[in-house]
Amino acid sequence: LAVDRNYQPTCPRILYRTSGDNRVFPYLYLDPVDQKHVYVPLKNQIKRLPVSKCSTYQNVKDCLSAQDPFCVWCVSKPSCTFKGDCKDAEWLSISDDSKQKTVSHRVVKDSTGEIKLVIQTHVTMEQKVPTNFACQFSLSSGQLCGGHGTRPHYPQCTCILNNIFPADDVIVTIKMRLGNTYLTEEIKMINCSNVHGQPSFHLCQRCIGAGCGWRQNSCSWASDPVQNDSVCANIGQFGMNFSKPEISSITPSVVSFYGRNHAVLSGRNLRDVTRVRIQADMGCDPKESPVWNNIGTSLTFHIPDRQTKGVVKVCVLLTDGSCHGNFAIMYQSSPICTDIVPRSSWRRYLNLFLPEIYIHHFQ
């Protein structure tokens, strides 16, 4: 479990999985020599395990977005490695305040009516600032800026839209160069003046998340200084006529690692629910399932499979992306057959009597 400089935890990663439900003693020893391994005492053995698996991240984007403080992208190799293994000390990492995003964006309209797409990268290069920083903006139908833009100045680059904004939401591909490394990101660009709805916390979040600005309880073009979703804190969570969905039960609520198809969720005000979200603590590894047979008081969905045991949280999603309810589902080990008594019998007795089968559930 990694934490940032403000001790905010990130999602946990599994470094080693035992073959069964083996007891692990609660003492981990950091290797005093290389500080890249820990010693884990199990019931009948001691395992020496790496504190990270940087090599599993195959490209620069996965490496930088992994929320792993041990891993950096080594420019000279190029590969994801421990910092100490990057011999030339030239590596890429991502700033702590970026929420693990390699880029963020704003759609700005100035007093002259000129619309700009401003991109900022949160990727940093150790020991030096990239001198050949560059950006390229493109759509599926061609170039976005048409050659119009400002000179890139790390960490920002700007695309001038010349008052011409696409009628619909579009996906913009941004290709950035930092030194000898290229990064490619996709963002969804929307027309900020077309974001309408009753002022609410979730509408404000959608507006800010799209790179727009929130002023006077409505969405508009972004401006300086940069806004974040903290401006949404004082807005009511829901509209006056909104009935919040509620979850009263899920059947079944205890499942194996394999999940369960055709689970039934019951509650109130479920008519507008489009999906069901299942996620572990801290919002890690969320999975979403579509719904059907929605009659307003109950609906059907699939409970997905999962690699680990434990309790996960369930909420229901509306079209605006808000998630409501807080119900729990328990994942447990699959039943294992440990013995059958009797192991053999006469044919006629075997046909008449069902043998006793001993099933053990690992809790």
Side-chain angles (χ1 to χ4, degrees):
L1 182 67
V3 296
D4 62 19
R5 292 177 183 175
N6 296 320
Y7 297 99
Q8 295 298 312
T10 63
C11 293
R13 286 176 296 277
I14 297 174
L15 298 177
Y16 171 75
R17 190 191 304 277
T18 63
S19 58
D21 286 20
N22 299 329
R23 182 180 297 277
V24 179
F25 294 96
Y27 299 103
L28 304 180
Y29 296 92
L30 183 66
D31 191 317
V33 178
D34 66 3
Q35 297 190 354
K36 298 177 184 177
H37 294 81
V38 289
Y39 293 95
V40 182
L42 304 174
K43 184 176 181 180
N44 297 316
Q45 61 179 320
I46 293 178
K47 298 288 284 187
R48 183 176 183 261
L49 304 174
V51 294
S52 185
K53 294 181 178 179
C54 300
S55 60
T56 59
Y57 308 118
Q58 299 298 312
N59 56 63
V60 59
K61 182 179 178 180
D62 290 345
C63 182
L64 297 178
S65 303
Q67 299 180 296
D68 195 320
F70 290 100
C71 301
V72 296
W73 183 259
C74 188
V75 175
S76 60
K77 290 194 173 184
S79 62
C80 195
T81 66
F82 283 91
K83 288 182 181 179
D85 294 339
C86 191
K87 301 303 181 184
D88 58 2
E90 186 175 314
W91 63 73
L92 300 178
S93 58
I94 194 166
S95 58
D96 278 347
D97 58 352
S98 66
K99 296 183 179 180
Q100 301 312 123
K101 293 181 178 179
T102 55
V103 299
S104 58
H105 74 284
R106 290 179 294 145
V107 185
V108 180
K109 188 175 185 179
D110 63 19
S111 57
T112 66
E114 188 175 66
I115 301 175
K116 302 176 182 178
L117 174 60
V118 182
I119 299 296
Q120 178 166 340
T121 178
H122 302 287
V123 177
T124 60
M125 180 173 283
E126 188 69 15
Q127 296 187 346
K128 70 177 183 179
V129 175
T131 56
N132 59 346
F133 176 65
C135 298
Q136 180 181 347
F137 301 83
S138 62
L139 302 172
S140 58
S141 57
Q143 297 298 314
L144 177 65
C145 306
H148 301 282
T150 61
R151 184 179 179 86
H153 183 69
Y154 178 83
Q156 282 192 355
C157 49
T158 303
C159 169
I160 300 175
L161 303 177
N162 286 337
N163 303 332
I164 301 175
F165 200 92
D168 300 317
D169 299 350
V170 294
I171 301 299
V172 180
T173 301
I174 304 152
K175 189 174 183 179
M176 292 178 293
R177 179 177 179 178
L178 296 93
N180 296 322
T181 303
Y182 290 88
L183 287 171
T184 301
E185 284 284 350
E186 288 188 346
I187 64 168
K188 184 177 182 180
M189 189 173 66
I190 69 172
N191 190 326
C192 299
S193 60
N194 288 343
V195 180
H196 302 298
Q198 186 171 355
S200 67
F201 176 78
H202 298 291
L203 183 66
C204 176
Q205 278 195 320
R206 180 190 170 204
C207 175
I208 297 297
C212 303
W214 184 265
R215 286 182 294 277
Q216 298 179 350
N217 279 336
S218 64
C219 193
S220 60
W221 303 100
S223 61
D224 292 321
V226 178
Q227 287 184 313
N228 56 45
D229 55 13
S230 63
V231 302
C232 307
N234 296 324
I235 303 174
Q237 288 273 349
F238 314 106
M240 295 296 292
N241 299 322
F242 178 78
S243 297
K244 183 172 66 172
E246 299 176 7
I247 304 174
S248 58
S249 67
I250 295 178
T251 306
S253 59
V254 179
V255 297
S256 72
F257 293 142
Y258 300 107
R260 183 69 174 267
N261 288 340
H262 306 291
V264 177
L265 183 150
S266 300
R268 299 172 56 193
N269 307 320
L270 303 177
R271 178 67 64 183
D272 297 324
V273 170
T274 59
R275 288 164 294 161
V276 175
R277 177 180 293 166
I278 300 97
Q279 60 189 16
D281 290 336
M282 300 182 291
C284 298
D285 190 26
K287 294 184 178 181
E288 295 179 4
S289 171
V291 304
W292 65 96
N293 296 337
N294 187 343
I295 60 173
T297 56
S298 68
L299 55 84
T300 306
F301 73 105
H302 292 328
I303 300 175
D305 60 356
R306 192 167 184 261
Q307 293 184 343
T308 57
K309 296 187 303 182
V311 177
V312 297
K313 297 178 181 179
V314 177
C315 60
V316 290
L317 282 159
L318 301 180
T319 54
D320 65 354
S322 60
C323 209
H324 306 277
N326 186 11
F327 204 83
I329 290 178
M330 167 70 77
Y331 281 89
Q332 64 180 20
S333 300
S334 300
I336 297 175
C337 182
T338 58
D339 200 5
I340 298 178
V341 179
R343 292 176 177 268
S344 61
S345 178
W346 297 103
R347 180 185 301 174
R348 69 186 187 94
Y349 288 114
L350 191 59
N351 290 337
L352 292 174
F353 301 102
L354 179 68
E356 295 182 36
I357 302 176
Y358 293 86
I359 302 293
H360 179 66
H361 262 292
F362 287 123
Q363 299 298 328

